[in-house]
């Protein structure tokens, strides 16, 4: 079988898919369009081989680490084995298994595709790639966070919080009430440590919002949100800042090296980027209060 490579550059990291030459991967991943990397390169940071061969399903899949997934419900399983990790998702028909084997550091993975429609393939490959990238990027001073990010005058502000807290709502309030504000990403941006400072990138993963921008901004601030009957902003320094951001970071705790790397990266980020805690209502005053704290000179 003739194979082809399709590459994407996300947060300066090259993600390569190897797949049958006639497989329409580019059309299945529309959110990746602005990230496609057409230049020839010897450097591939993360590689995923796509296979239509029979998945190497074994009676003993390994140690079941979790069967909880917001995206896939009870169709999802995540196993640890000596040679890496295995992620499985029962296909929509219920007669096959999506099977992903990843090396322990997630730099190399093989994804076996079961009988499935194009829409399902696009959704699962997009999600699998996000999971892989979220782990492998930790080897490159990069961390993915669950956040909504606003670009205000060329600088990024990331809003964090539990699902349903109102991250997207607060971003929309900035777009409506704070001039020179646009959305960068609404769900899974990437933060990176660079010699010139801390930056935040748009990615192909933006939740339910179609906002897939291949852009990089200096990170001005991180703000954890909590719904409240009144608006109040407070800075979180040191350990408080670390604790405020940690729950929003992407890392599996079963790989001690990657988890330690995530903590190290986060420590460096909060040493350079201020962290705030905003108790808020879903109103313009909340956005204005947050803006005045993060950008006091505006």
């Amino acid at each position: 079988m003739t194979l082809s490579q399709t590459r994407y550059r996300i947060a300066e990291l090259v993600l390569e898919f190897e797949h049958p030459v006639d497989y329409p991967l580019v059309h299945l991943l529309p959110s990746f369009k602005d990230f496609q990397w057409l230049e020839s390169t010897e450097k591939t940071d993360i590689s995923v081989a796509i296979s239509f061969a029979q998945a190497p399903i074994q009676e003993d899949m390994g140690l079941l680490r979790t069967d909880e997934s917001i995206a896939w419900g009870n169709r999802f399983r995540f196993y640890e084995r000596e040679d890496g990790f295995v992620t499985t998702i029962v296909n929509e028909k219920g007669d096959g298994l999506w099977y992903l084997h990843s090396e322990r550091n997630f730099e190399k993975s093989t994804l076996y595709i079961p009988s499935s429609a194009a829409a399902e393939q696009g959704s699962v490959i997009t999600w699998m790639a996000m999971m892989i990238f979220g782990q492998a990027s930790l080897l490159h001073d990069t961390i993915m966070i669950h956040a909504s990010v606003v670009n205000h005058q060329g600088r990024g502000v990331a809003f964090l919080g539990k699902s349903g807290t109102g991250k997207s709502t607060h971003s929309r309030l900035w777009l409506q009430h704070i001039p020179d504000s646009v959305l960068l990403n609404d769900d899974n941006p990437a933060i990176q440590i660079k010699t010139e400072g801390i930056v935040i990138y748009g990615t192909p993963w933006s939740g339910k919002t179609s906002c897939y921008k291949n852009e990089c901004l200096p990170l001005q601030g991180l703000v954890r949100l909590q719904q409240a009957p009144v608006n109040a902003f407070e800075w979180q320094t040191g350990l408080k800042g670390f604790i405020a951001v940690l729950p929003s970071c992407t890392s599996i705790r079963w790989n001690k090296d990657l988890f330690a790397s995530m903590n190290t990266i986060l420590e460096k980020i909060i040493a350079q980027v201020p962290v705030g805690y905003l108790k808020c209502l879903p109103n313009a005053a909340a956005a204005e209060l947050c803006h005045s704290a993060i950008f006091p000179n505006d």
Side-chain angles (χ1 to χ4, degrees), residues 107-185:
E107 284 188 311
K108 292 184 179 180
S109 299
T110 301
L111 175 60
Y112 296 86
I113 297 182
S115 173
S116 49
E120 180 182 354
Q121 291 180 27
S123 296
V124 178
I125 295 171
T126 296
W127 187 88
M128 292 284 200
M130 178 179 70
M131 194 261 298
I132 292 166
F133 185 89
Q135 308 310 313
S137 63
L138 293 166
L139 302 170
H140 303 275
D141 282 337
T142 303
I143 193 166
M144 284 187 72
I145 61 167
H146 185 47
S148 182
V149 185
V150 164
N151 172 354
H152 177 63
Q153 296 182 344
R155 302 189 70 84
V157 183
F159 303 117
L160 321 174
K162 296 179 182 178
S163 294
T165 299
K167 300 181 291 294
S168 297
T169 298
H170 192 77
S171 284
R172 284 197 297 272
L173 290 169
W174 275 61
L175 306 191
Q176 294 166 4
H177 302 288
I178 309 299
D180 300 318
S181 297
V182 295
L183 193 66
L184 174 67
N185 184 277

Side-chain angles (χ1 to χ4, degrees), residues 24-51:
L25 183 72
V26 170
H27 300 292
L28 296 174
L29 304 179
S31 68
F32 285 64
K33 181 180 177 182
D34 287 350
F35 299 84
Q36 191 164 3
W37 185 248
L38 299 175
E39 295 183 25
S40 59
T41 179
E42 297 177 1
K43 173 179 172 283
T44 296
D45 301 294
I46 306 164
S47 63
V48 181
I50 291 177
S51 174

Side-chain angles (χ1 to χ4, degrees), residues 233-248:
F233 185 96
E234 182 181 350
W235 291 111
Q236 306 287 294
T237 57
L239 183 59
K240 283 186 175 182
F242 184 91
I243 292 171
V245 180
L246 181 63
S248 299

Side-chain angles (χ1 to χ4, degrees), residues 4-8 15-19 25-26 36-37:
S4 178
Q5 290 78 38
T6 300
R7 299 184 183 94
Y8 298 95
L15 168 63
E16 179 185 272
F17 291 94
E18 184 177 73
H19 54 86
L25 183 72
V26 170
Q36 191 164 3
W37 185 248

Side-chain angles (χ1 to χ4, degrees), residues 216-227:
C216 172
L217 305 171
L219 182 57
Q220 182 76 11
L222 296 151
V223 181
R224 188 157 197 88
L225 305 178
Q226 180 183 333
Q227 294 177 356

Side-chain angles (χ1 to χ4, degrees), residues 249-261:
C249 297
T250 299
S251 174
I252 59 167
R253 57 187 179 275
W254 303 291
N255 183 320
K256 293 180 180 179
D257 293 336
L258 289 180
F259 191 73
S261 180

